[in-house]
Coordinates of all heavy atoms in Angstrom, one line a residue:
M1 N -11.9 26.1 2.7 CA -11.4 25.7 1.4 C -12.7 25.3 0.6 O -13.5 24.6 1.0 CB -10.5 24.5 1.5 CG -9.8 24.2 0.3 SD -8.6 23.0 0.6 CE -8.4 22.3 -1.0
S2 N -12.6 25.8 -0.8 CA -13.8 25.4 -1.6 C -13.2 24.9 -2.9 O -12.0 25.0 -3.1 CB -14.6 26.6 -1.7 OG -13.9 27.6 -2.4
G3 N -14.0 24.4 -3.6 CA -13.6 24.0 -5.0 C -13.4 22.4 -5.1 O -13.9 21.7 -4.3
R4 N -12.8 21.9 -5.9 CA -12.7 20.5 -6.2 C -11.6 20.0 -5.0 O -10.8 20.6 -4.7 CB -12.0 20.3 -7.5 CG -12.9 20.8 -8.8 CD -12.2 20.4 -10.1 NE -12.0 19.1 -10.3 CZ -12.7 18.2 -10.9 NH1 -14.0 18.7 -11.3 NH2 -12.6 17.0 -11.2
R5 N -12.1 18.7 -4.8 CA -11.3 18.0 -3.8 C -10.0 17.5 -4.5 O -10.0 17.0 -5.7 CB -12.0 16.8 -3.3 CG -13.2 17.1 -2.4 CD -14.0 16.0 -2.1 NE -14.6 15.3 -3.3 CZ -15.2 14.2 -3.3 NH1 -15.3 13.5 -2.2 NH2 -15.6 13.7 -4.5
T6 N -8.8 17.3 -3.8 CA -7.7 16.7 -4.2 C -7.9 15.3 -4.1 O -8.6 14.7 -3.3 CB -6.5 17.1 -3.5 OG1 -6.5 16.6 -2.2 CG2 -6.3 18.7 -3.6
V7 N -7.1 14.4 -4.7 CA -7.1 12.9 -4.7 C -6.7 12.5 -3.2 O -7.3 11.7 -2.7 CB -6.3 12.3 -5.6 CG1 -4.8 12.5 -5.4 CG2 -6.4 10.8 -5.8
Y8 N -6.0 13.3 -2.5 CA -5.6 13.1 -1.2 C -6.8 13.2 -0.2 O -6.9 12.4 0.7 CB -4.4 13.9 -0.8 CG -3.2 13.8 -1.6 CD1 -3.0 14.7 -2.5 CD2 -2.5 12.5 -1.7 CE1 -1.8 14.6 -3.4 CE2 -1.4 12.4 -2.6 CZ -1.1 13.4 -3.5 OH -0.2 13.2 -4.4
E9 N -7.6 14.2 -0.5 CA -8.8 14.4 0.3 C -9.7 13.2 0.1 O -10.4 12.8 1.0 CB -9.5 15.7 -0.1 CG -8.7 17.0 0.3 CD -9.4 18.2 -0.1 OE1 -9.1 18.5 -1.4 OE2 -9.9 19.0 0.6
I10 N -9.9 12.8 -1.1 CA -10.7 11.8 -1.4 C -10.3 10.4 -0.7 O -11.0 9.7 -0.2 CB -11.0 11.6 -3.0 CG1 -11.6 12.8 -3.7 CG2 -11.7 10.3 -3.4 CD1 -11.5 12.7 -5.2
Y11 N -9.0 10.3 -0.8 CA -8.4 9.0 -0.1 C -8.7 9.1 1.5 O -9.2 8.2 2.1 CB -7.0 8.9 -0.2 CG -6.4 8.5 -1.6 CD1 -5.1 9.0 -2.0 CD2 -7.2 7.9 -2.5 CE1 -4.6 8.6 -3.2 CE2 -6.7 7.8 -3.8 CZ -5.5 8.0 -4.2 OH -4.9 7.7 -5.4
W12 N -8.6 10.3 1.9 CA -8.8 10.6 3.4 C -10.4 10.2 3.6 O -10.8 9.5 4.7 CB -8.6 11.9 3.8 CG -8.9 12.3 5.2 CD1 -8.1 12.1 6.3 CD2 -10.2 12.8 5.7 NE1 -8.7 12.4 7.3 CE2 -10.0 12.9 7.1 CE3 -11.3 13.4 5.1 CZ2 -11.0 13.6 7.8 CZ3 -12.3 13.9 5.8 CH2 -12.1 14.0 7.2
E13 N -11.3 10.7 2.9 CA -12.7 10.5 3.0 C -13.0 9.1 2.9 O -13.8 8.6 3.8 CB -13.5 11.3 1.9 CG -13.6 12.7 2.2 CD -14.4 13.5 1.1 OE1 -14.8 12.9 0.0 OE2 -14.6 14.7 1.3
I14 N -12.5 8.3 2.0 CA -12.7 6.9 1.8 C -12.3 6.2 3.2 O -13.0 5.3 3.6 CB -12.1 6.2 0.5 CG1 -12.7 6.8 -0.7 CG2 -12.1 4.7 0.5 CD1 -12.1 6.6 -1.9
L15 N -11.1 6.4 3.5 CA -10.6 5.8 4.7 C -11.3 6.0 5.9 O -11.5 5.1 6.8 CB -9.0 6.0 4.9 CG -8.0 5.7 3.7 CD1 -6.7 6.1 4.0 CD2 -8.2 4.1 3.6
M16 N -11.7 7.4 6.2 CA -12.5 7.6 7.3 C -13.8 7.0 7.3 O -14.3 6.4 8.2 CB -12.6 9.2 7.3 CG -11.5 9.9 7.7 SD -10.9 9.8 9.3 CE -12.3 10.6 10.2
Y17 N -14.4 6.9 6.1 CA -15.8 6.2 6.0 C -15.8 4.8 6.1 O -16.5 4.1 6.7 CB -16.4 6.6 4.6 CG -17.8 6.1 4.4 CD1 -18.8 6.5 5.3 CD2 -18.1 5.3 3.4 CE1 -20.1 6.0 5.0 CE2 -19.4 4.7 3.2 CZ -20.4 5.3 4.0 OH -21.6 4.8 3.9
C18 N -14.6 4.3 5.8 CA -14.3 2.8 5.9 C -13.9 2.4 7.2 O -13.3 1.1 7.3 CB -13.6 2.3 4.7 SG -14.5 2.4 3.3
K19 N -13.9 3.1 8.2 CA -13.4 2.6 9.6 C -14.5 1.4 10.0 O -14.0 0.5 10.8 CB -13.7 3.8 10.6 CG -12.4 4.7 10.5 CD -12.4 5.8 11.5 CE -11.2 6.7 11.5 NZ -11.2 7.6 12.7
T20 N -15.6 1.4 9.3 CA -16.4 0.1 9.6 C -16.6 -0.4 8.1 O -16.5 0.4 7.2 CB -17.7 0.6 10.3 OG1 -18.5 1.5 9.4 CG2 -17.6 1.0 11.7
P21 N -16.8 -1.6 8.0 CA -17.0 -2.2 6.7 C -18.1 -1.5 5.8 O -19.3 -1.2 6.3 CB -17.3 -3.7 7.0 CG -16.7 -3.9 8.3 CD -16.9 -2.6 9.1
R22 N -17.8 -1.2 4.6 CA -18.7 -0.5 3.7 C -18.7 -1.2 2.4 O -17.6 -1.7 1.8 CB -18.3 0.9 3.5 CG -18.1 1.6 4.6 CD -19.5 1.9 5.5 NE -19.3 2.8 6.6 CZ -20.2 3.3 7.4 NH1 -21.4 3.1 7.0 NH2 -20.0 4.1 8.4
S23 N -19.8 -1.2 1.7 CA -19.9 -1.8 0.2 C -19.4 -0.8 -0.7 O -19.2 0.4 -0.4 CB -21.4 -2.1 0.0 OG -22.1 -0.9 -0.2
F24 N -19.0 -1.2 -1.9 CA -18.5 -0.3 -3.0 C -19.6 0.7 -3.2 O -19.3 1.9 -3.3 CB -18.3 -1.1 -4.3 CG -17.9 -0.3 -5.3 CD1 -16.6 0.2 -5.5 CD2 -19.0 0.0 -6.4 CE1 -16.4 1.1 -6.5 CE2 -18.6 0.7 -7.4 CZ -17.2 1.4 -7.6
T25 N -20.8 0.4 -3.3 CA -22.0 1.3 -3.7 C -22.0 2.4 -2.5 O -22.2 3.7 -2.7 CB -23.2 0.8 -3.8 OG1 -23.2 -0.3 -4.8 CG2 -24.4 1.5 -4.2
A26 N -22.0 1.9 -1.2 CA -22.0 2.9 -0.2 C -20.8 3.9 -0.2 O -21.1 5.1 0.0 CB -22.0 2.1 1.2
I27 N -19.7 3.4 -0.5 CA -18.5 4.3 -0.6 C -18.7 5.4 -1.7 O -18.5 6.6 -1.5 CB -17.2 3.3 -0.8 CG1 -16.9 2.6 0.4 CG2 -16.0 4.4 -1.1 CD1 -15.9 1.6 0.1
I28 N -19.0 4.9 -2.9 CA -19.1 6.0 -4.0 C -20.3 6.8 -3.7 O -20.2 8.0 -4.0 CB -19.1 5.4 -5.4 CG1 -20.4 4.3 -5.6 CG2 -17.9 4.4 -5.7 CD1 -20.6 4.1 -7.0
N29 N -21.4 6.5 -3.1 CA -22.3 7.4 -2.9 C -22.0 8.3 -1.9 O -22.2 9.6 -2.0 CB -23.6 6.6 -2.5 CG -24.4 5.9 -3.6 OD1 -24.1 6.3 -4.8 ND2 -25.0 4.8 -3.4
R30 N -21.5 8.0 -0.7 CA -21.2 8.8 0.6 C -20.1 9.8 0.2 O -20.0 10.9 0.5 CB -20.8 8.0 1.6 CG -20.2 8.7 2.8 CD -21.4 9.6 3.3 NE -21.1 10.2 4.5 CZ -20.6 11.6 4.5 NH1 -20.4 12.2 3.3 NH2 -20.2 12.3 5.5
C31 N -19.1 9.3 -0.7 CA -17.8 10.1 -1.0 C -18.0 10.8 -2.3 O -17.2 11.5 -2.8 CB -16.6 9.2 -1.1 SG -16.2 8.6 0.6
D32 N -19.3 10.8 -3.0 CA -19.6 11.5 -4.2 C -18.7 11.1 -5.4 O -18.0 12.1 -6.0 CB -19.8 12.9 -3.9 CG -20.5 13.6 -5.0 OD1 -21.3 13.1 -5.8 OD2 -20.3 15.0 -5.2
L33 N -18.6 9.9 -5.7 CA -17.6 9.6 -6.7 C -18.4 8.7 -7.9 O -19.5 8.0 -7.6 CB -16.6 8.5 -6.2 CG -15.7 9.1 -5.0 CD1 -14.8 8.0 -4.5 CD2 -14.8 10.3 -5.6
N34 N -17.9 8.8 -9.1 CA -18.5 7.9 -10.1 C -17.9 6.5 -10.1 O -16.9 6.4 -9.2 CB -18.6 8.4 -11.5 CG -17.0 8.5 -12.0 OD1 -16.3 7.7 -11.9 ND2 -16.6 9.7 -12.6
S35 N -18.5 5.6 -10.5 CA -18.0 4.2 -10.5 C -16.5 4.0 -10.9 O -15.9 3.4 -10.2 CB -18.9 3.1 -11.2 OG -20.2 3.2 -10.6
K36 N -16.2 4.5 -11.9 CA -14.9 4.3 -12.5 C -13.8 4.9 -11.5 O -12.7 4.4 -11.1 CB -14.7 4.9 -13.9 CG -13.2 4.9 -14.4 CD -12.8 3.6 -14.7 CE -11.5 3.6 -15.5 NZ -10.4 3.0 -14.7
T37 N -14.0 6.3 -11.2 CA -13.1 7.0 -10.2 C -13.0 6.2 -8.9 O -12.0 6.0 -8.3 CB -13.5 8.3 -10.1 OG1 -13.5 9.0 -11.4 CG2 -12.6 9.1 -9.2
G38 N -14.3 5.9 -8.4 CA -14.3 5.1 -7.2 C -13.5 3.9 -7.2 O -12.8 3.4 -6.2
Q39 N -13.7 3.0 -8.2 CA -13.0 1.8 -8.3 C -11.5 2.0 -8.4 O -10.8 1.3 -7.8 CB -13.4 1.0 -9.7 CG -12.8 -0.4 -9.7 CD -13.3 -1.3 -8.6 OE1 -14.6 -1.3 -8.3 NE2 -12.4 -2.0 -8.0
D40 N -11.0 3.0 -9.2 CA -9.7 3.4 -9.2 C -9.0 3.6 -7.9 O -8.0 3.2 -7.4 CB -9.4 4.7 -10.2 CG -9.5 4.2 -11.6 OD1 -9.7 3.0 -11.9 OD2 -9.6 5.2 -12.4
H41 N -9.8 4.5 -7.0 CA -9.3 4.9 -5.8 C -9.3 3.6 -4.8 O -8.4 3.5 -4.0 CB -10.1 6.0 -5.2 CG -10.0 7.3 -5.9 ND1 -8.9 7.7 -6.6 CD2 -10.8 8.4 -6.1 CE1 -9.0 9.0 -7.1 NE2 -10.2 9.4 -6.7
I42 N -10.3 2.9 -4.9 CA -10.4 1.8 -3.9 C -9.3 0.7 -4.2 O -8.6 0.2 -3.4 CB -11.7 1.0 -4.1 CG1 -12.9 2.0 -3.2 CG2 -11.7 -0.3 -3.5 CD1 -14.2 1.5 -3.5
E43 N -9.0 0.5 -5.6 CA -7.9 -0.3 -6.0 C -6.6 0.1 -5.6 O -5.7 -0.6 -5.1 CB -7.9 -0.6 -7.4 CG -9.0 -1.5 -8.0 CD -9.1 -1.6 -9.5 OE1 -8.2 -1.0 -10.2 OE2 -10.1 -2.3 -10.0
F44 N -6.4 1.5 -5.6 CA -5.1 2.1 -5.2 C -5.0 1.9 -3.7 O -3.9 1.4 -3.2 CB -5.0 3.5 -5.6 CG -3.8 4.2 -5.1 CD1 -2.7 4.2 -5.8 CD2 -3.9 4.9 -3.8 CE1 -1.5 4.7 -5.3 CE2 -2.7 5.6 -3.4 CZ -1.6 5.5 -4.1
L45 N -5.9 2.2 -2.9 CA -5.9 2.1 -1.5 C -5.8 0.7 -1.0 O -5.0 0.3 0.0 CB -7.1 2.7 -0.7 CG -7.1 4.2 -0.9 CD1 -8.6 4.8 -0.6 CD2 -6.0 5.0 -0.2
T46 N -6.4 -0.2 -1.6 CA -6.3 -1.7 -1.5 C -4.7 -2.3 -1.8 O -4.2 -2.9 -0.9 CB -7.3 -2.5 -2.2 OG1 -8.6 -2.0 -1.9 CG2 -7.3 -4.1 -1.8
G47 N -4.3 -1.7 -2.9 CA -2.9 -2.2 -3.2 C -1.9 -1.5 -2.4 O -0.8 -2.3 -2.1
K48 N -2.1 -0.6 -1.7 CA -1.1 0.2 -0.8 C -1.3 -0.4 0.5 O -0.5 -0.1 1.6 CB -1.3 1.6 -0.7 CG -1.0 2.4 -2.0 CD 0.6 2.1 -2.2 CE 1.0 3.0 -3.4 NZ 2.5 2.8 -3.7
G49 N -2.3 -1.2 0.7 CA -2.6 -1.8 2.1 C -3.4 -1.1 3.1 O -3.4 -1.4 4.3
Y50 N -4.0 0.0 2.7 CA -4.8 0.8 3.5 C -6.3 0.5 3.6 O -7.0 0.8 4.4 CB -4.8 2.3 2.9 CG -3.5 3.0 3.1 CD1 -3.0 3.7 2.1 CD2 -2.7 2.9 4.3 CE1 -1.7 4.3 2.3 CE2 -1.4 3.5 4.4 CZ -0.9 4.2 3.3 OH 0.3 4.9 3.4
L51 N -6.8 -0.3 2.6 CA -8.1 -0.9 2.6 C -8.0 -2.5 2.5 O -7.1 -2.9 1.7 CB -8.9 -0.3 1.5 CG -9.7 0.9 1.6 CD1 -10.4 1.2 0.3 CD2 -10.4 1.0 2.7
S52 N -8.8 -3.1 3.1 CA -8.9 -4.6 2.9 C -10.3 -4.9 2.4 O -11.3 -4.3 2.8 CB -8.5 -5.4 4.1 OG -9.4 -5.2 5.1
A53 N -10.3 -5.9 1.5 CA -11.6 -6.2 0.9 C -11.9 -7.7 1.5 O -11.2 -8.6 1.6 CB -11.5 -6.5 -0.6
V54 N -13.1 -7.7 1.9 CA -13.7 -8.9 2.5 C -15.1 -9.5 1.7 O -15.8 -8.6 1.6 CB -14.0 -8.9 4.0 CG1 -14.6 -10.2 4.5 CG2 -12.8 -8.4 4.7
T55 N -15.1 -10.7 1.2 CA -16.2 -11.3 0.6 C -16.9 -12.1 1.3 O -16.3 -13.2 1.8 CB -15.8 -11.7 -0.8 OG1 -15.2 -10.6 -1.5 CG2 -17.1 -12.2 -1.6
E56 N -18.1 -11.9 1.7 CA -19.0 -12.9 2.4 C -20.3 -13.0 1.8 O -20.9 -11.9 1.4 CB -19.2 -12.4 4.0 CG -17.9 -12.6 4.7 CD -18.2 -12.1 6.1 OE1 -19.4 -12.2 6.7 OE2 -17.2 -11.9 6.9
G57 N -20.8 -14.2 1.5 CA -22.1 -14.4 0.9 C -22.2 -13.8 -0.5 O -23.2 -13.2 -0.8
G58 N -21.2 -13.6 -1.1 CA -21.0 -13.0 -2.5 C -21.0 -11.5 -2.5 O -21.0 -10.8 -3.5
K59 N -20.9 -10.9 -1.4 CA -20.9 -9.5 -1.1 C -19.5 -9.0 -0.7 O -19.0 -9.5 0.4 CB -22.0 -9.0 -0.2 CG -23.4 -9.3 -0.8 CD -24.5 -8.6 0.1 CE -25.9 -8.8 -0.5 NZ -26.9 -8.3 0.3
T60 N -18.9 -8.1 -1.1 CA -17.6 -7.6 -0.8 C -17.8 -6.2 -0.1 O -18.6 -5.3 -0.4 CB -16.8 -7.3 -2.1 OG1 -16.6 -8.5 -3.0 CG2 -15.4 -6.7 -1.7
S61 N -17.1 -6.1 1.0 CA -17.1 -4.9 1.8 C -15.5 -4.5 2.0 O -14.7 -5.5 1.9 CB -17.9 -5.1 3.0 OG -17.2 -6.0 3.9
Y62 N -15.4 -3.2 2.2 CA -14.0 -2.6 2.4 C -14.0 -2.1 3.7 O -14.8 -1.4 4.2 CB -13.8 -1.7 1.3 CG -13.8 -2.1 -0.1 CD1 -15.0 -2.3 -0.8 CD2 -12.5 -2.7 -0.7 CE1 -15.1 -2.9 -2.1 CE2 -12.7 -3.3 -2.0 CZ -14.0 -3.3 -2.6 OH -14.0 -3.9 -3.8
T63 N -12.7 -2.3 4.4 CA -12.5 -1.7 5.6 C -11.1 -1.2 5.6 O -10.2 -1.7 5.1 CB -12.7 -2.9 6.7 OG1 -13.8 -2.6 7.4 CG2 -11.6 -3.2 7.5
A64 N -10.9 0.0 6.3 CA -9.7 0.6 6.5 C -8.8 -0.4 7.6 O -9.3 -0.8 8.4 CB -9.7 2.0 7.2
T65 N -7.5 -0.5 7.1 CA -6.6 -1.3 7.9 C -6.1 -0.5 8.9 O -5.9 0.7 8.8 CB -5.6 -1.9 6.9 OG1 -4.8 -1.0 6.4 CG2 -6.1 -2.7 5.7
P66 N -5.3 -1.1 9.9 CA -4.4 -0.4 10.8 C -3.5 0.5 10.2 O -3.3 1.6 10.7 CB -3.9 -1.5 11.6 CG -4.7 -2.7 11.6 CD -5.2 -2.6 10.1
A67 N -2.9 0.1 9.0 CA -2.0 1.1 8.3 C -2.6 2.3 7.9 O -1.9 3.3 7.8 CB -1.3 0.3 7.1
A68 N -3.9 2.4 7.6 CA -4.5 3.6 7.2 C -4.5 4.7 8.5 O -4.5 5.9 8.0 CB -6.1 3.2 6.9
R69 N -4.5 4.2 9.6 CA -4.4 5.2 10.7 C -3.3 6.3 10.5 O -3.5 7.5 10.7 CB -4.3 4.5 12.0 CG -5.4 3.8 12.5 CD -5.2 3.3 13.9 NE -6.0 2.1 13.9 CZ -5.7 0.9 14.3 NH1 -4.6 0.6 14.8 NH2 -6.7 -0.1 14.5
E70 N -2.1 5.8 10.0 CA -1.0 6.8 9.7 C -1.4 7.7 8.8 O -1.1 9.0 8.8 CB 0.2 6.1 9.4 CG 1.4 7.0 9.3 CD 2.7 6.3 8.9 OE1 2.8 5.2 8.4 OE2 3.9 6.9 9.0
Y71 N -1.9 7.3 7.6 CA -2.4 8.3 6.6 C -3.3 9.3 7.0 O -3.4 10.5 6.8 CB -3.0 7.5 5.3 CG -3.3 8.5 4.2 CD1 -2.6 8.8 3.2 CD2 -4.6 9.0 4.2 CE1 -2.9 9.8 2.2 CE2 -5.0 9.9 3.2 CZ -4.1 10.3 2.2 OH -4.5 11.1 1.3
I72 N -4.4 8.7 7.7 CA -5.4 9.7 8.3 C -4.9 10.6 9.3 O -5.2 11.9 9.1 CB -6.5 8.8 9.0 CG1 -7.3 7.9 8.0 CG2 -7.5 9.7 9.8 CD1 -8.3 6.9 8.6
A73 N -3.8 10.2 10.0 CA -3.4 11.3 11.1 C -2.5 12.2 10.3 O -2.6 13.4 10.7 CB -2.7 10.6 12.1
L74 N -1.8 11.8 9.5 CA -0.7 12.7 8.6 C -1.6 13.7 7.8 O -1.3 14.8 7.8 CB 0.2 12.0 7.9 CG 1.3 11.2 8.7 CD1 2.2 10.2 7.7 CD2 2.2 12.1 9.4
F75 N -2.5 13.1 7.1 CA -3.4 14.1 6.2 C -4.2 15.0 7.1 O -4.2 16.3 6.7 CB -4.3 13.3 5.4 CG -5.2 14.2 4.5 CD1 -4.8 14.6 3.4 CD2 -6.4 14.6 4.9 CE1 -5.4 15.5 2.6 CE2 -7.2 15.4 4.2 CZ -6.7 15.9 3.0
S76 N -4.8 14.6 8.1 CA -5.5 15.5 9.0 C -4.6 16.7 9.6 O -5.0 17.8 9.7 CB -6.1 14.8 10.1 OG -7.0 13.8 9.7
S77 N -3.4 16.2 9.9 CA -2.4 17.2 10.6 C -1.9 18.3 9.5 O -2.0 19.5 9.8 CB -1.2 16.5 11.2 OG -0.3 17.3 11.6
L78 N -1.6 17.8 8.4 CA -1.3 18.8 7.2 C -2.4 19.7 6.9 O -2.1 20.8 6.8 CB -0.8 17.9 6.1 CG -0.2 18.7 4.8 CD1 0.8 19.6 5.3 CD2 -0.1 17.8 3.7
Y79 N -3.5 19.1 6.8 CA -4.6 19.9 6.4 C -4.9 20.9 7.5 O -5.2 22.1 7.0 CB -5.9 19.0 6.2 CG -7.1 19.6 5.6 CD1 -7.4 19.4 4.2 CD2 -8.0 20.4 6.3 CE1 -8.5 20.0 3.7 CE2 -9.1 21.1 5.7 CZ -9.3 20.9 4.3 OH -10.4 21.4 3.7
Q80 N -4.9 20.5 8.7 CA -5.0 21.5 9.7 C -4.0 22.7 9.8 O -4.4 23.9 10.0 CB -5.0 20.9 11.1 CG -5.1 21.8 12.3 CD -6.5 22.2 12.7 OE1 -7.5 21.5 12.4 NE2 -6.7 23.4 13.0
K81 N -2.8 22.3 9.5 CA -1.8 23.4 9.4 C -1.9 24.3 8.3 O -1.7 25.5 8.2 CB -0.4 22.7 9.4 CG 0.0 22.1 10.7 CD 1.4 21.4 10.6 CE 1.7 20.7 12.0 NZ 2.8 19.7 12.0
L82 N -2.4 23.8 7.1 CA -2.6 24.5 5.9 C -3.9 25.5 6.0 O -3.7 26.6 5.5 CB -2.6 23.6 4.7 CG -1.4 23.0 4.2 CD1 -1.7 21.9 3.1 CD2 -0.5 23.9 3.7
F83 N -4.9 24.9 6.5 CA -6.1 25.7 6.4 C -6.8 26.0 7.6 O -7.8 26.6 7.7 CB -7.1 24.9 5.5 CG -6.7 24.5 4.2 CD1 -6.3 23.2 3.9 CD2 -6.5 25.4 3.2 CE1 -5.8 22.8 2.7 CE2 -6.1 25.1 2.0 CZ -5.7 23.8 1.6
D84 N -6.0 25.8 8.9 CA -6.7 26.2 10.1 C -7.9 25.7 10.4 O -8.8 26.3 11.0 CB -6.6 27.7 10.3 CG -5.2 28.3 10.3 OD1 -4.3 27.6 11.0 OD2 -4.9 29.4 9.8
A85 N -8.2 24.5 9.8 CA -9.6 23.8 10.0 C -9.4 22.2 9.7 O -8.4 21.9 9.0 CB -10.5 24.2 9.1
A86 N -10.0 21.5 10.4 CA -9.9 20.0 10.3 C -10.7 19.6 9.0 O -11.7 20.3 8.6 CB -10.5 19.2 11.4
P87 N -10.2 18.6 8.2 CA -10.8 18.3 7.1 C -12.3 17.7 7.5 O -12.5 17.0 8.6 CB -10.0 17.1 6.6 CG -9.2 16.7 7.6 CD -9.1 17.8 8.6
E88 N -13.3 17.8 6.7 CA -14.6 17.2 6.9 C -15.1 16.7 5.6 O -14.8 16.9 4.5 CB -15.5 18.4 7.2 CG -15.1 19.1 8.5 CD -15.9 20.3 8.9 OE1 -17.0 20.6 8.0 OE2 -15.8 20.9 9.9
F89 N -16.1 15.8 5.8 CA -16.9 15.2 4.8 C -17.8 16.3 4.2 O -18.3 17.1 5.0 CB -17.8 14.0 5.2 CG -17.2 12.8 5.3 CD1 -17.1 12.0 6.5 CD2 -16.5 12.0 4.3 CE1 -16.5 10.7 6.6 CE2 -15.9 10.9 4.4 CZ -15.9 10.2 5.6
R90 N -18.0 16.4 2.9 CA -18.9 17.2 2.2 C -20.3 16.5 2.3 O -20.3 15.4 2.1 CB -18.5 17.5 0.7 CG -17.1 18.3 0.8 CD -16.7 18.4 -0.5 NE -15.3 18.9 -0.5 CZ -14.8 20.0 -0.9 NH1 -15.7 20.8 -1.6 NH2 -13.6 20.3 -0.6
L91 N -21.2 17.2 2.6 CA -22.7 16.7 2.7 C -23.4 17.2 1.5 O -23.2 18.2 0.9 CB -23.2 17.1 4.0 CG -22.6 16.6 5.2 CD1 -23.4 17.1 6.4 CD2 -22.6 15.0 5.1

């Protein structure tokens, strides 16, 4: 599959990347997002309970919650069925 990513692919990328705690800057850089779009997506995922924010020493990091596992599994399965390939991060 080529072209622009859907918002669902971006959510999947963020959740996969945040299986370990990540900073906002690390997320937007790794997932190739601008600050505004990244903030919107992170706020959405946090609001839905798929990401949790932890602030320590004045620094906030985001981590995928156990609830994110269901989204990751369902998205991966659907993507596999549609495109006969597993979703991957773009490098």
Side-chain angles (χ1 to χ4, degrees):
M1 185 170 153
S2 63
R4 297 180 60 94
R5 295 174 295 172
T6 67
V7 68
Y8 305 107
E9 289 172 288
I10 296 169
Y11 292 159
W12 177 85
E13 288 180 354
I14 292 169
L15 295 173
M16 289 293 293
Y17 187 59
C18 290
K19 284 186 174 182
T20 59
R22 307 291 185 169
S23 69
F24 174 76
T25 303
I27 295 167
I28 63 169
N29 287 335
R30 178 62 179 90
C31 297
D32 195 25
L33 302 169
N34 66 44
S35 293
K36 173 69 173 119
T37 301
Q39 188 63 45
D40 290 346
H41 291 332
I42 288 169
E43 286 176 4
F44 177 81
L45 291 169
T46 302
K48 292 294 182 183
Y50 292 137
L51 278 181
S52 64
V54 176
T55 303
E56 289 184 18
K59 295 182 180 183
T60 301
S61 61
Y62 297 89
T63 245
T65 65
R69 288 186 205 129
E70 182 180 16
Y71 179 89
I72 291 167
L74 289 171
F75 178 82
S76 297
S77 175
L78 177 63
Y79 192 97
Q80 177 74 38
K81 288 176 184 174
L82 288 173
F83 303 109
D84 293 323
E88 298 177 359
F89 278 122
R90 299 179 190 235
L91 298 175

